[in-house]
Protein backbone atom coordinates (compact mmCIF):
# COMPACT_ATOMS: atom_id res chain seq x y z
CA UNK A 1 0.00 0.00 0.00
CA UNK A 2 1.28 3.47 -0.95
CA UNK A 3 0.96 5.48 2.25
CA UNK A 4 2.54 8.76 1.13
CA UNK A 5 2.81 10.42 -2.27
CA UNK A 6 4.71 13.65 -2.86
CA UNK A 7 4.08 14.67 -6.47
CA UNK A 8 6.00 17.26 -8.53
CA UNK A 9 7.19 19.13 -5.44
CA UNK A 10 8.97 22.37 -6.30
CA UNK A 11 10.44 24.84 -3.82
CA UNK A 12 11.95 28.15 -4.91
CA UNK A 13 13.82 30.65 -2.74
CA UNK A 14 14.38 33.74 -4.85
CA UNK A 15 16.77 32.62 -7.61
CA UNK A 16 17.49 29.29 -5.90
CA UNK A 17 15.45 26.23 -6.89
CA UNK A 18 15.90 23.83 -3.97
CA UNK A 19 13.48 21.17 -5.28
CA UNK A 20 12.23 20.81 -8.85
CA UNK A 21 9.37 18.44 -9.72
CA UNK A 22 10.32 15.92 -7.05
CA UNK A 23 8.29 12.73 -6.73
CA UNK A 24 8.61 10.63 -3.56
CA UNK A 25 6.37 7.67 -2.74
CA UNK A 26 6.54 5.81 0.58
CA UNK A 27 4.86 2.46 1.23
CA UNK A 28 3.43 1.37 4.55
CA UNK A 29 5.98 -0.53 6.62
CA UNK A 30 9.03 0.26 4.48
CA UNK A 31 12.36 1.96 5.09
CA UNK A 32 12.81 4.49 2.30
CA UNK A 33 16.23 6.16 2.11
CA UNK A 34 16.57 9.60 0.53
CA UNK A 35 20.19 10.25 -0.41
CA UNK A 36 22.11 12.99 -2.16
CA UNK A 37 24.99 15.38 -1.82
CA UNK A 38 24.87 18.37 0.53
CA UNK A 39 22.55 20.91 -1.05
CA UNK A 40 20.79 18.29 -3.20
CA UNK A 41 17.42 19.23 -1.67
CA UNK A 42 16.91 16.38 0.82
CA UNK A 43 16.36 18.52 3.91
CA UNK A 44 14.13 21.00 2.06
CA UNK A 45 11.93 18.16 0.86
CA UNK A 46 11.61 16.79 4.40
CA UNK A 47 10.89 20.24 5.84
CA UNK A 48 8.00 20.46 3.36
CA UNK A 49 6.71 17.05 4.38
CA UNK A 50 6.92 17.99 8.07
CA UNK A 51 5.12 21.32 7.60
CA UNK A 52 8.17 23.50 8.27
CA UNK A 53 8.05 24.86 4.70
CA UNK A 54 5.27 25.32 2.16
CA UNK A 55 5.99 24.05 -1.37
CA UNK A 56 5.99 26.56 -4.21
CA UNK A 57 4.04 23.98 -6.19
CA UNK A 58 3.18 20.30 -6.02
CA UNK A 59 0.85 17.99 -4.13
CA UNK A 60 1.15 15.80 -1.03
CA UNK A 61 -1.22 12.87 -0.65
CA UNK A 62 -1.58 10.83 2.53
CA UNK A 63 -3.48 7.53 2.29
CA UNK A 64 -4.71 8.72 -1.10
CA UNK A 65 -6.12 12.01 0.19
CA UNK A 66 -4.55 15.38 -0.66
CA UNK A 67 -3.23 17.20 2.41
CA UNK A 68 -1.58 20.53 3.17
CA UNK A 69 0.44 21.26 6.30
CA UNK A 70 0.74 24.81 7.59
CA UNK A 71 3.13 23.83 10.40
CA UNK A 72 4.65 20.77 12.12
CA UNK A 73 1.59 20.45 14.37
CA UNK A 74 -0.48 19.72 11.27
CA UNK A 75 2.01 17.06 10.17
CA UNK A 76 2.03 15.47 13.63
CA UNK A 77 -1.77 15.44 13.70
CA UNK A 78 -1.65 13.52 10.41
CA UNK A 79 0.77 10.91 11.75
CA UNK A 80 4.11 12.32 10.52
CA UNK A 81 6.97 12.74 13.00
CA UNK A 82 10.55 13.93 12.55
CA UNK A 83 13.73 13.27 14.51
CA UNK A 84 16.10 16.11 13.73
CA UNK A 85 19.86 15.78 13.39
CA UNK A 86 20.29 18.12 16.35
CA UNK A 87 18.13 16.80 19.17
CA UNK A 88 15.43 18.95 20.77
CA UNK A 89 15.35 17.49 24.26
CA UNK A 90 15.19 19.22 27.63
CA UNK A 91 18.33 17.79 29.31
CA UNK A 92 17.09 18.41 32.85
CA UNK A 93 13.75 16.67 32.18
CA UNK A 94 13.26 12.95 32.70
CA UNK A 95 12.79 10.61 29.75
CA UNK A 96 9.04 10.48 30.42
CA UNK A 97 8.74 14.27 30.71
CA UNK A 98 10.52 14.70 27.35
CA UNK A 99 8.45 12.08 25.58
CA UNK A 100 5.02 13.34 26.70
CA UNK A 101 5.84 17.08 26.53
CA UNK A 102 2.90 18.83 24.88
CA UNK A 103 0.53 15.89 25.42
CA UNK A 104 0.92 15.22 29.12
CA UNK A 105 -1.48 12.81 30.89
CA UNK A 106 -3.23 14.50 33.78
CA UNK A 107 -4.99 13.66 37.02
CA UNK A 108 -7.44 16.47 37.45
CA UNK A 109 -5.46 19.61 36.77
CA UNK A 110 -2.12 18.06 37.71
CA UNK A 111 0.47 16.31 35.56
CA UNK A 112 0.20 12.55 36.18
CA UNK A 113 3.87 11.57 36.37
CA UNK A 114 3.14 7.96 37.21
CA UNK A 115 0.89 7.56 34.16
CA UNK A 116 3.48 9.25 31.94
CA UNK A 117 6.22 6.93 33.19
CA UNK A 118 4.08 3.84 32.66
CA UNK A 119 3.07 4.85 29.13
CA UNK A 120 6.69 5.53 28.15
CA UNK A 121 7.84 2.25 29.71
CA UNK A 122 5.22 0.33 27.71
CA UNK A 123 6.06 2.23 24.52
CA UNK A 124 9.75 1.41 24.87
CA UNK A 125 8.96 -2.25 25.51
CA UNK A 126 6.64 -2.46 22.49
CA UNK A 127 9.20 -1.05 20.05
CA UNK A 128 12.32 -2.63 21.53
CA UNK A 129 13.75 0.61 22.92
CA UNK A 130 13.61 0.20 26.71
CA UNK A 131 14.61 3.27 28.72
CA UNK A 132 14.20 4.25 32.35
CA UNK A 133 11.37 6.81 32.16
CA UNK A 134 12.41 8.42 35.47
CA UNK A 135 16.02 9.00 34.50
CA UNK A 136 17.06 12.46 33.26
CA UNK A 137 17.77 12.75 29.54
CA UNK A 138 21.20 14.29 30.26
CA UNK A 139 22.27 11.03 31.98
CA UNK A 140 21.99 9.10 28.72
CA UNK A 141 24.50 8.80 25.85
CA UNK A 142 23.81 10.47 22.51
CA UNK A 143 22.54 7.19 21.10
CA UNK A 144 20.08 6.76 23.94
CA UNK A 145 18.95 10.40 23.65
CA UNK A 146 18.11 9.66 20.03
CA UNK A 147 15.87 6.83 21.23
CA UNK A 148 14.06 9.32 23.44
CA UNK A 149 13.38 11.44 20.35
CA UNK A 150 12.06 8.39 18.47
CA UNK A 151 9.81 7.41 21.39
CA UNK A 152 8.53 10.98 21.43
CA UNK A 153 7.29 10.81 17.82
CA UNK A 154 5.87 7.33 18.45
CA UNK A 155 3.98 8.68 21.48
CA UNK A 156 2.55 11.38 19.22
CA UNK A 157 1.11 8.62 17.02
CA UNK A 158 3.46 8.85 14.05
CA UNK A 159 3.03 6.28 11.27
CA UNK A 160 5.72 7.98 9.14
CA UNK A 161 9.00 8.79 10.92
CA UNK A 162 11.58 11.05 9.25
CA UNK A 163 15.12 10.47 10.49
CA UNK A 164 17.51 13.26 9.44
CA UNK A 165 21.14 12.03 9.32
CA UNK A 166 20.47 9.86 12.39
CA UNK A 167 23.92 8.24 12.62
CA UNK A 168 26.03 11.39 12.26
CA UNK A 169 27.01 11.52 15.95
CA UNK A 170 26.71 7.85 16.94
CA UNK A 171 29.37 5.30 17.82
CA UNK A 172 29.65 2.16 15.64
CA UNK A 173 27.79 0.11 18.25
CA UNK A 174 25.04 2.75 18.54
CA UNK A 175 24.72 2.79 14.73
CA UNK A 176 24.22 -0.97 14.71
CA UNK A 177 21.59 -0.74 17.44
CA UNK A 178 19.78 2.10 15.64
CA UNK A 179 19.62 0.19 12.36
CA UNK A 180 18.17 -2.79 14.24
CA UNK A 181 15.58 -0.48 15.84
CA UNK A 182 14.67 0.94 12.42
CA UNK A 183 14.04 -2.54 11.03
CA UNK A 184 11.92 -3.41 14.06
CA UNK A 185 9.81 -0.28 13.61
CA UNK A 186 9.24 -1.14 9.95
CA UNK A 187 8.30 -4.72 10.86
CA UNK A 188 5.58 -3.30 13.11
CA UNK A 189 4.08 -1.25 10.28
CA UNK A 190 5.87 2.08 10.69
CA UNK A 191 7.23 3.79 7.58
CA UNK A 192 10.73 5.24 7.95
CA UNK A 193 12.10 7.99 5.71
CA UNK A 194 15.86 7.92 6.22
CA UNK A 195 17.89 10.97 5.19
CA UNK A 196 21.56 10.03 5.01
CA UNK A 197 24.75 10.07 2.98
CA UNK A 198 26.17 6.82 4.43
CA UNK A 199 25.56 4.33 1.67
CA UNK A 200 26.71 1.23 3.56
CA UNK A 201 23.94 1.91 6.07
CA UNK A 202 21.46 2.48 3.25
CA UNK A 203 22.31 -0.89 1.75
CA UNK A 204 21.95 -2.55 5.13
CA UNK A 205 18.59 -1.16 6.20
CA UNK A 206 16.63 0.40 3.30
CA UNK A 207 13.94 -1.26 1.19
CA UNK A 208 14.02 1.45 -1.49
CA UNK A 209 16.30 4.38 -2.27
CA UNK A 210 15.47 7.73 -3.88
CA UNK A 211 18.46 9.76 -5.09
CA UNK A 212 18.47 13.55 -5.43
CA UNK A 213 20.99 15.67 -7.31
CA UNK A 214 20.65 19.41 -7.81
CA UNK A 215 17.10 19.38 -6.44
CA UNK A 216 15.88 16.72 -8.89
CA UNK A 217 15.26 12.99 -8.56
CA UNK A 218 17.87 11.06 -10.53
CA UNK A 219 16.53 7.64 -9.64
CA UNK A 220 14.39 5.52 -7.30
CA UNK A 221 15.70 1.99 -6.80
CA UNK A 222 14.63 -1.20 -5.09
CA UNK A 223 17.50 -2.29 -2.84
CA UNK A 224 17.86 -5.58 -4.75
CA UNK A 225 18.66 -3.55 -7.88
CA UNK A 226 21.02 -1.10 -6.15
CA UNK A 227 24.77 -1.01 -5.60
CA UNK A 228 26.88 1.52 -3.73
CA UNK A 229 28.71 2.39 -6.95
CA UNK A 230 25.44 2.88 -8.80
CA UNK A 231 23.92 5.07 -6.10
CA UNK A 232 27.13 7.11 -5.91
CA UNK A 233 27.02 7.79 -9.64
CA UNK A 234 23.40 8.93 -9.43
CA UNK A 235 24.36 11.24 -6.55
CA UNK A 236 27.37 12.96 -8.12
CA UNK A 237 26.93 12.30 -11.82
CA UNK A 238 30.25 10.47 -12.25
CA UNK A 239 32.22 7.45 -11.12
CA UNK A 240 34.02 7.84 -7.80
CA UNK A 241 37.48 6.44 -7.19
CA UNK A 242 39.14 5.54 -3.92
CA UNK A 243 42.19 7.68 -3.12
CA UNK A 244 45.52 6.15 -4.11
CA UNK A 245 47.72 5.84 -1.03
CA UNK A 246 51.35 5.06 -1.80
CA UNK A 247 53.77 3.88 0.86
CA UNK A 248 54.76 6.75 3.15
CA UNK A 249 58.26 8.16 3.44
CA UNK A 250 58.24 9.73 6.89
CA UNK A 251 60.82 12.35 7.72
CA UNK A 252 61.63 14.16 10.94
CA UNK A 253 59.27 14.24 13.89
CA UNK A 254 56.82 17.16 13.73
CA UNK A 255 54.61 16.39 16.75
CA UNK A 256 55.85 14.49 19.80
CA UNK A 257 53.48 13.69 22.68
CA UNK A 258 55.12 12.31 25.83
CA UNK A 259 53.31 11.05 28.95
CA UNK A 260 50.28 13.24 28.31
CA UNK A 261 47.70 13.08 31.09
CA UNK A 262 44.40 14.92 31.36
CA UNK A 263 42.69 14.30 34.68
CA UNK A 264 38.99 13.60 35.11
CA UNK A 265 36.66 13.45 38.10
CA UNK A 266 37.83 9.91 38.84
CA UNK A 267 40.42 8.22 36.65
CA UNK A 268 42.34 10.19 33.96
CA UNK A 269 40.56 10.95 30.71
CA UNK A 270 43.92 10.80 28.89
CA UNK A 271 46.27 8.49 30.73
CA UNK A 272 50.00 8.77 30.03
CA UNK A 273 49.69 8.87 26.22
CA UNK A 274 52.86 8.99 24.11
CA UNK A 275 53.26 8.98 20.32
CA UNK A 276 54.76 10.99 17.47
CA UNK A 277 53.72 12.14 14.03
CA UNK A 278 56.44 12.61 11.42
CA UNK A 279 56.60 14.74 8.31
CA UNK A 280 55.08 12.91 5.35
CA UNK A 281 52.75 10.59 7.24
CA UNK A 282 49.16 10.34 8.41
CA UNK A 283 48.74 8.84 11.85
CA UNK A 284 45.17 7.78 12.58
CA UNK A 285 43.63 7.42 16.01
CA UNK A 286 40.76 4.95 16.18
CA UNK A 287 38.48 4.19 19.09
CA UNK A 288 34.90 4.24 20.22
CA UNK A 289 33.84 7.82 20.99
CA UNK A 290 34.36 8.77 24.62
CA UNK A 291 37.69 7.03 25.17
CA UNK A 292 39.75 10.19 25.51
CA UNK A 293 39.92 11.36 21.91
CA UNK A 294 38.15 14.67 22.58
CA UNK A 295 40.41 15.51 25.53
CA UNK A 296 43.48 14.58 23.48
CA UNK A 297 42.38 16.86 20.64
CA UNK A 298 41.72 19.74 23.01
CA UNK A 299 45.05 19.29 24.80
CA UNK A 300 47.04 19.37 21.55
CA UNK A 301 45.13 22.34 20.10
CA UNK A 302 45.26 24.43 23.30
CA UNK A 303 41.51 24.25 23.85
CA UNK A 304 41.77 22.05 26.96
CA UNK A 305 44.03 21.44 29.95
CA UNK A 306 47.25 19.44 30.19
CA UNK A 307 47.93 18.15 33.69
CA UNK A 308 51.09 16.14 33.00
CA UNK A 309 53.43 15.47 30.09
CA UNK A 310 54.79 17.30 27.06
CA UNK A 311 53.44 18.18 23.63
CA UNK A 312 56.22 19.31 21.30
CA UNK A 313 55.48 20.83 17.91
CA UNK A 314 58.64 21.27 15.83
CA UNK A 315 60.61 21.00 19.06
CA UNK A 316 58.65 23.64 20.97
CA UNK A 317 56.67 22.56 24.05
CA UNK A 318 53.14 23.84 23.39
CA UNK A 319 51.42 22.07 26.31
CA UNK A 320 49.08 24.47 28.07
CA UNK A 321 49.66 27.36 25.66
CA UNK A 322 46.65 29.34 24.33
CA UNK A 323 45.12 28.22 21.02
CA UNK A 324 46.39 31.27 19.12
CA UNK A 325 49.96 30.61 20.23
CA UNK A 326 49.66 26.93 19.32
CA UNK A 327 48.42 27.85 15.84
CA UNK A 328 51.27 30.31 15.39
CA UNK A 329 53.66 27.47 16.24
CA UNK A 330 52.54 25.58 13.13
CA UNK A 331 49.20 23.88 13.81
CA UNK A 332 46.04 23.94 11.69
CA UNK A 333 42.97 22.36 13.25
CA UNK A 334 39.80 20.89 11.78
CA UNK A 335 37.76 20.56 15.01
CA UNK A 336 35.46 17.62 15.74
CA UNK A 337 32.53 19.92 16.60
CA UNK A 338 32.09 22.46 13.82
CA UNK A 339 29.48 24.47 15.72
CA UNK A 340 31.24 24.73 19.08
CA UNK A 341 34.88 25.13 17.95
CA UNK A 342 34.93 25.59 14.19
CA UNK A 343 32.69 28.51 13.36
CA UNK A 344 30.93 31.63 14.58
CA UNK A 345 27.35 30.97 13.56
CA UNK A 346 26.30 34.64 13.47
CA UNK A 347 29.30 35.66 11.36
CA UNK A 348 29.27 35.57 7.57
CA UNK A 349 30.78 32.94 5.32
CA UNK A 350 33.53 35.42 4.44
CA UNK A 351 34.31 36.16 8.10
CA UNK A 352 34.39 32.48 9.05
CA UNK A 353 36.66 31.64 6.13
CA UNK A 354 39.24 34.30 7.03
CA UNK A 355 39.50 33.33 10.71
CA UNK A 356 43.12 32.46 11.40
CA UNK A 357 44.21 34.14 8.17
CA UNK A 358 43.29 37.65 9.23
CA UNK A 359 46.66 38.54 10.74
CA UNK A 360 48.41 38.19 7.38
CA UNK A 361 45.57 39.62 5.27
CA UNK A 362 45.86 43.24 6.30
CA UNK A 363 47.76 46.37 5.36
CA UNK A 364 48.57 48.98 8.01
CA UNK A 365 45.92 47.48 10.31
CA UNK A 366 43.17 47.41 7.66
CA UNK A 367 41.89 44.13 6.28
CA UNK A 368 42.48 43.68 2.55
CA UNK A 369 38.88 42.98 1.63
CA UNK A 370 39.45 42.52 -2.09
CA UNK A 371 42.16 39.91 -1.47
CA UNK A 372 40.03 38.20 1.18
CA UNK A 373 37.00 38.06 -1.14
CA UNK A 374 39.09 36.56 -3.94
CA UNK A 375 40.62 33.90 -1.66
CA UNK A 376 37.33 32.92 -0.03
CA UNK A 377 35.60 32.68 -3.43
CA UNK A 378 38.42 30.41 -4.62
CA UNK A 379 38.12 28.12 -1.58
CA UNK A 380 34.33 27.93 -1.89
CA UNK A 381 34.61 26.98 -5.54
CA UNK A 382 37.35 24.40 -4.97
CA UNK A 383 35.57 22.68 -2.09
CA UNK A 384 32.06 22.94 -3.53
CA UNK A 385 30.58 24.97 -0.66
CA UNK A 386 26.98 25.81 -1.56
CA UNK A 387 26.08 29.28 -0.30
CA UNK A 388 23.86 32.09 -1.57
CA UNK A 389 26.61 34.68 -1.01
CA UNK A 390 29.75 35.41 0.98
CA UNK A 391 27.61 37.49 3.32
CA UNK A 392 25.31 34.59 4.23
CA UNK A 393 25.50 33.74 7.92
CA UNK A 394 27.25 30.48 8.78
CA UNK A 395 24.20 29.27 10.72
CA UNK A 396 22.22 29.18 7.47
CA UNK A 397 24.63 26.76 5.77
CA UNK A 398 23.87 23.05 5.91
CA UNK A 399 26.10 21.13 8.29
CA UNK A 400 27.98 19.54 5.41
CA UNK A 401 28.62 22.84 3.66
CA UNK A 402 29.86 24.45 6.87
CA UNK A 403 32.20 21.47 7.35
CA UNK A 404 33.59 21.96 3.83
CA UNK A 405 34.16 25.66 4.54
CA UNK A 406 36.12 24.86 7.72
CA UNK A 407 38.22 22.20 5.97
CA UNK A 408 39.00 24.64 3.14
CA UNK A 409 40.05 27.31 5.64
CA UNK A 410 42.33 25.02 7.60
CA UNK A 411 43.93 23.33 4.60
CA UNK A 412 44.72 26.79 3.21
CA UNK A 413 46.82 27.55 6.31
CA UNK A 414 49.58 25.35 4.81
CA UNK A 415 51.06 24.60 8.22
CA UNK A 416 53.61 21.82 8.94
CA UNK A 417 51.05 20.00 11.13
CA UNK A 418 47.33 19.37 10.64
CA UNK A 419 45.10 18.08 13.42
CA UNK A 420 42.12 16.67 11.52
CA UNK A 421 39.29 15.61 13.84
CA UNK A 422 36.24 14.11 12.10
CA UNK A 423 37.17 15.95 8.87
CA UNK A 424 34.32 14.49 6.79
CA UNK A 425 31.55 14.41 9.41
CA UNK A 426 28.27 15.24 7.71
CA UNK A 427 29.64 15.73 4.19
CA UNK A 428 28.48 13.91 1.08
CA UNK A 429 30.47 11.25 -0.74
CA UNK A 430 31.74 13.61 -3.44
CA UNK A 431 33.11 16.04 -0.86
CA UNK A 432 34.46 13.14 1.19
CA UNK A 433 36.45 11.92 -1.81
CA UNK A 434 37.84 15.44 -2.34
CA UNK A 435 38.78 15.94 1.33
CA UNK A 436 40.50 12.54 1.44
CA UNK A 437 42.53 13.51 -1.63
CA UNK A 438 43.52 16.80 0.03
CA UNK A 439 44.65 15.03 3.21
CA UNK A 440 46.82 12.71 1.13
CA UNK A 441 48.19 15.69 -0.80
CA UNK A 442 49.12 17.28 2.53
CA UNK A 443 50.96 14.12 3.55
CA UNK A 444 52.64 13.65 0.16
CA UNK A 445 53.97 17.22 0.21
CA UNK A 446 55.70 16.59 3.54
CA UNK A 447 53.01 17.67 5.98
CA UNK A 448 52.28 15.76 9.17
CA UNK A 449 48.64 14.80 9.77
CA UNK A 450 47.02 13.45 12.92
CA UNK A 451 43.64 12.03 11.92
CA UNK A 452 41.00 11.31 14.57
CA UNK A 453 37.80 9.80 13.20
CA UNK A 454 34.89 7.69 14.41
CA UNK A 455 34.65 6.29 10.86
CA UNK A 456 36.89 3.23 10.92
CA UNK A 457 36.80 2.97 7.12
CA UNK A 458 38.22 6.50 6.90
CA UNK A 459 41.02 5.70 9.35
CA UNK A 460 41.95 2.54 7.45
CA UNK A 461 41.77 4.21 4.05
CA UNK A 462 44.08 7.13 4.87
CA UNK A 463 46.40 6.22 7.75
CA UNK A 464 49.98 5.03 7.47
CA UNK A 465 49.95 4.04 11.12
CA UNK A 466 46.88 3.47 13.29
CA UNK A 467 46.85 4.01 17.05
CA UNK A 468 43.87 2.72 19.03
CA UNK A 469 42.58 4.48 22.16
CA UNK A 470 40.70 2.68 24.90
CA UNK A 471 39.81 4.21 28.27
CA UNK A 472 42.26 7.07 27.78
CA UNK A 473 45.26 4.97 26.77
CA UNK A 474 46.93 3.98 23.53
CA UNK A 475 46.39 0.22 23.63
CA UNK A 476 47.93 -0.73 20.31
CA UNK A 477 49.50 0.35 17.03
CA UNK A 478 48.96 -1.34 13.67
CA UNK A 479 50.31 -0.78 10.18
CA UNK A 480 47.83 1.13 8.03
CA UNK A 481 48.62 -0.96 4.95
CA UNK A 482 47.97 -4.34 6.58
CA UNK A 483 45.41 -3.55 9.30
CA UNK A 484 42.08 -5.38 9.34
CA UNK A 485 38.76 -4.30 10.84
CA UNK A 486 38.81 -7.32 13.13
CA UNK A 487 42.27 -6.47 14.42
CA UNK A 488 41.38 -2.85 15.14
CA UNK A 489 37.95 -3.82 16.49
CA UNK A 490 39.51 -6.07 19.14
CA UNK A 491 41.75 -3.22 20.28
CA UNK A 492 38.81 -0.79 20.33
CA UNK A 493 37.01 -3.17 22.67
CA UNK A 494 40.02 -3.37 24.99
CA UNK A 495 41.35 -6.69 23.70
CA UNK A 496 44.64 -7.58 22.07
CA UNK A 497 45.70 -7.00 18.48
CA UNK A 498 45.96 -10.69 17.61
Amino acid sequence: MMLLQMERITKVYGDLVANRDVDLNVRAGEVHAVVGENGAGKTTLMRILYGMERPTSGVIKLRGKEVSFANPSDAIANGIGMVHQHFMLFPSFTVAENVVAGSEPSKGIRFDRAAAAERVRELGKKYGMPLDPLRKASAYSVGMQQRIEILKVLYQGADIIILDEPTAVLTPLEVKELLQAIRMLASQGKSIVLITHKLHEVMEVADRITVLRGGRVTGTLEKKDATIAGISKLMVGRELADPVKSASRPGNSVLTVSGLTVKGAGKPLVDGVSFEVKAGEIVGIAGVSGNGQTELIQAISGLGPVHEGEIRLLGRDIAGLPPGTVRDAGLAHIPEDRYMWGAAKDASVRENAMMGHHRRLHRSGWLRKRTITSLVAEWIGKYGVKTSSLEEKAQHLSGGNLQKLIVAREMAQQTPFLLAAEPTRGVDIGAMEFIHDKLLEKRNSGGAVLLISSELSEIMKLSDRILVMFEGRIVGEVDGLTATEEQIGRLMAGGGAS
Side-chain angles (χ1 to χ4, degrees):
M1 173 186 171
M2 203 62 72
L3 180 62
L4 170 73
Q5 295 164 285
M6 300 182 77
E7 300 176 349
R8 300 184 67 80
I9 298 296
T10 295
K11 180 64 179 180
V12 180
Y13 301 95
D15 296 330
L16 174 66
V17 181
N19 293 136
R20 186 187 294 277
D21 295 329
V22 173
D23 291 334
L24 175 68
N25 301 315
V26 180
R27 300 167 183 153
E30 81 165 342
V31 180
H32 195 124
V34 179
V35 302
E37 293 189 282
N38 299 126
K42 308 184 300 294
T43 298
T44 299
L45 187 65
M46 291 304 104
R47 287 172 65 88
I48 290 171
L49 178 57
Y50 192 54
M52 299 173 73
E53 300 274 0
R54 300 295 294 272
T56 304
S57 62
V59 172
I60 301 174
K61 294 179 181 177
L62 194 59
R63 301 177 184 88
K65 180 181 177 182
E66 187 172 330
V67 293
S68 178
F69 305 142
N71 50 53
S73 295
D74 284 351
I76 292 168
N78 280 274
I80 298 174
M82 185 169 183
V83 177
H84 299 269
Q85 185 175 351
H86 304 290
F87 304 153
M88 299 183 177
L89 299 175
F90 299 101
S92 61
F93 283 20
T94 66
V95 170
E97 288 167 344
N98 272 286
V99 170
V100 306
S103 303
E104 299 89 344
S106 60
K107 183 182 291 184
I109 61 171
R110 300 180 64 183
F111 173 38
D112 191 339
R113 295 180 185 277
E118 184 58 27
R119 290 185 191 181
V120 172
R121 188 178 288 109
E122 288 300 315
L123 197 65
K125 183 178 179 180
K126 178 179 179 181
Y127 291 105
M129 291 184 281
L131 292 166
D132 181 354
L134 301 180
R135 193 177 182 187
K136 287 189 176 181
S138 58
Y140 277 109
S141 68
V142 172
M144 292 296 104
Q145 289 181 21
Q146 186 176 63
R147 290 190 175 199
I148 300 172
E149 291 274 20
I150 295 173
L151 287 177
K152 185 172 182 177
V153 299
L154 289 168
Y155 178 80
Q156 293 168 341
D159 292 318
I160 298 172
I161 302 172
I162 305 165
L163 299 176
D164 185 13
E165 297 286 359
T167 66
V169 294
L170 302 186
T171 67
L173 178 59
E174 288 172 333
V175 170
K176 183 178 180 180
E177 291 173 345
L178 174 66
L179 297 183
Q180 290 172 344
I182 288 172
R183 288 306 327 171
M184 177 174 282
L185 288 168
S187 71
Q188 297 193 33
K190 301 299 182 182
S191 299
I192 312 297
V193 182
L194 177 64
I195 312 303
T196 185
H197 66 278
K198 297 184 178 181
L199 299 188
H200 288 284
E201 295 169 11
V202 168
M203 294 300 293
E204 183 172 344
V205 77
D207 297 302
R208 287 194 299 149
I209 304 109
T210 292
V211 186
L212 294 179
R213 183 172 79 242
R216 296 177 180 269
V217 173
T218 55
T220 295
L221 309 169
E222 298 284 344
K223 188 177 70 173
K224 63 182 177 61
D225 301 321
T227 64
I228 288 178
I231 298 170
S232 299
K233 188 172 182 180
L234 288 171
M235 285 173 64
V236 301
R238 59 183 173 84
E239 302 282 353
L240 292 177
D242 284 334
V244 178
K245 184 178 72 174
S246 57
S248 64
R249 297 179 179 177
N252 296 328
S253 179
V254 175
L255 179 79
T256 304
V257 177
S258 305
L260 176 63
T261 296
V262 178
K263 296 178 181 178
K267 62 183 181 180
L269 300 171
V270 179
D271 192 0
V273 165
S274 298
F275 64 90
E276 68 175 344
V277 185
K278 296 180 178 180
E281 73 169 348
I282 297 176
V283 174
I285 293 187
V288 175
S289 180
N291 277 277
Q293 300 96 316
T294 294
E295 292 76 18
L296 176 64
I297 293 164
Q298 292 180 352
I300 294 172
S301 63
L303 292 169
V306 174
H307 294 113
E308 296 175 15
E310 289 186 342
I311 305 171
R312 291 194 172 273
L313 182 57
L314 298 173
R316 179 182 179 184
D317 190 359
I318 59 170
L321 296 180
T325 306
V326 173
R327 291 178 74 92
D328 288 343
L331 173 142
H333 178 204
I334 301 169
E336 62 176 339
D337 188 326
R338 54 180 168 257
Y339 295 104
M340 181 172 290
W341 305 111
K345 65 178 183 178
D346 291 322
S348 69
V349 168
R350 185 205 315 269
E351 290 165 336
N352 273 281
M354 64 175 282
M355 290 174 183
H357 296 270
H358 59 281
R359 281 173 286 189
R360 65 180 179 83
L361 295 175
H362 68 87
R363 182 182 292 114
S364 302
W366 294 91
L367 290 173
R368 296 155 56 192
K369 291 188 176 181
R370 185 173 298 177
T371 302
I372 290 168
T373 297
S374 177
L375 281 172
V376 174
E378 178 186 341
W379 299 339
I380 284 174
K382 183 183 292 186
Y383 283 79
V385 180
K386 293 182 173 65
T387 178
S388 60
S389 78
L390 298 188
E391 305 309 319
E392 182 177 10
K393 288 188 176 183
Q395 64 182 321
H396 295 148
L397 294 180
S398 70
N401 278 304
L402 180 57
Q403 183 73 14
K404 288 189 280 187
L405 179 68
I406 292 167
V407 171
R409 179 187 71 203
E410 297 304 314
M411 295 296 284
Q413 299 280 357
Q414 298 182 335
T415 54
F417 176 66
L418 172 65
L419 175 58
E422 307 290 353
T424 60
R425 175 171 281 172
V427 306
D428 53 67
I429 56 174
M432 188 180 298
E433 175 195 48
F434 184 81
I435 291 169
H436 286 174
D437 286 341
K438 288 299 176 184
L439 291 172
L440 287 172
E441 280 182 23
K442 176 82 174 177
R443 169 255 214 188
N444 294 340
S445 64
V449 180
L450 181 63
L451 171 66
I452 295 102
S453 176
S454 57
E455 297 287 347
L456 186 53
S457 60
E458 182 168 66
I459 290 284
M460 294 180 68
K461 185 182 294 185
L462 298 176
S463 303
D464 299 300
R465 292 188 291 123
I466 301 171
L467 309 176
V468 182
M469 286 193 77
F470 178 73
E471 294 186 347
R473 292 178 172 270
I474 301 292
V475 294
E477 176 179 330
V478 293
D479 188 310
L481 290 175
T482 60
T484 65
E485 286 193 15
E486 292 77 15
Q487 183 183 25
I488 298 172
R490 281 192 294 269
L491 288 167
M492 288 171 66
S498 59

